[in-house]
Amino acid sequence: MAAPGQEEDQDQDAIVGKKIINRTFLSLSQITALSEQNLEGVQKKLKEFLNFKQLKTSLKEAILLDYYTAGFWWAKEMNFSLKQLSGFMDLLNFLLENLSDKHMTLGDNLKELGKAMAGIGETDSERTGDLNFFSIEQAKAVIDYLNISLFKHYKLYEYLFHSPREELVISNEYVIELAQPAVPPFPALLEEGIPLDINSSFIISPTAAEMESKGSDQEGYLEEPCPEAESFEAGAVAGVTAEDQKSAVGEISNEIIGNLEEESNHMAKRRMAGGNEDKRNGNSQS
């Protein structure tokens, strides 16, 4: 029977060489494309690779994009090779899936990290693990980064994935009752207050029935002539012939012409009398 310490060593030996990270998060071509970008370009490319389409409305997508962008940029500044960049992104995704999909606690996820990093720095091929392409110094830097990025904020990530959140109300709906359109004999809405009797007398338009009644009265008045007027006109023109009309017109014309001639003769006489008076005055002065 093996001692307790020997049993732990046997379990650790069983873990070494076993693949913990079973799939590739990003392909090598995608890692190559990311390595050629600046920080803004890395974020844009990751948005495309991860198929994030609701960044403006989805808090989860925005946080995940920041998580992967910050991780890749840190690894790029560490001058990791393309293979190391790919393995590091696999590790970031592996630990986050343990939290989101498997509901692992912080302690269990740390154990999974230890299993994934087992065998780093070992030369024995049977003891190499998933991340054997990292050096011991690089592995320590990776652990330090994970401590400040993921593990330090583990509760916040648990809340993000496992706690239901209330939907924020970004708009309000109001029901507004609008006034009905004005229908005679009721007046329209009054922006300037005036008494109802003034509105009724001078502003309100007559109804259709009133217009029809007034129109029919006016038509009857125009169509039916007054009997007294007709008798007066008949008496006035009765017995007047065409010759009488010509004679009356001629008399009026002769009267107007005679008045003009009389007025002209009168003016001539006055001018002659004035001239004789001027001559007499001249002779008396001489």
Side-chain angles (χ1 to χ4, degrees), residues 36-72:
E36 297 172 352
Q37 303 292 324
N38 58 13
L39 180 58
E40 183 178 355
V42 168
Q43 189 177 45
K44 185 177 180 180
K45 285 289 185 181
L46 281 173
K47 174 186 174 182
E48 177 184 345
F49 295 156
L50 301 177
N51 196 27
F52 287 163
K53 298 181 180 179
Q54 298 178 345
L55 287 173
K56 294 184 178 180
T57 57
S58 174
L59 179 63
K60 182 181 293 185
E61 285 191 2
I63 291 176
L64 291 178
L65 183 61
D66 287 344
Y67 174 77
Y68 291 118
T69 301
F72 183 87

Side-chain angles (χ1 to χ4, degrees), residues 11-20 111-136 139 143:
D11 293 338
Q12 186 67 26
D13 291 339
I15 293 172
V16 174
K18 182 181 179 181
K19 294 294 183 183
I20 303 300
K111 291 179 181 178
E112 292 298 311
L113 174 63
K115 295 177 183 178
M117 287 193 163
I120 291 179
E122 297 287 341
T123 57
D124 187 357
S125 60
E126 294 181 356
R127 296 177 60 84
T128 56
D130 294 332
L131 305 174
N132 61 329
F133 41 77
F134 285 118
S135 65
I136 295 176
I143 293 173

Side-chain angles (χ1 to χ4, degrees), residues 248-269:
V249 171
E251 291 177 357
I252 294 173
S253 300
N254 294 332
E255 183 178 358
I256 294 174
I257 294 172
N259 291 335
L260 291 175
E261 290 178 349
E262 184 179 357
E263 182 67 23
S264 176
N265 294 331
H266 180 69
M267 292 294 294
K269 291 179 180 179

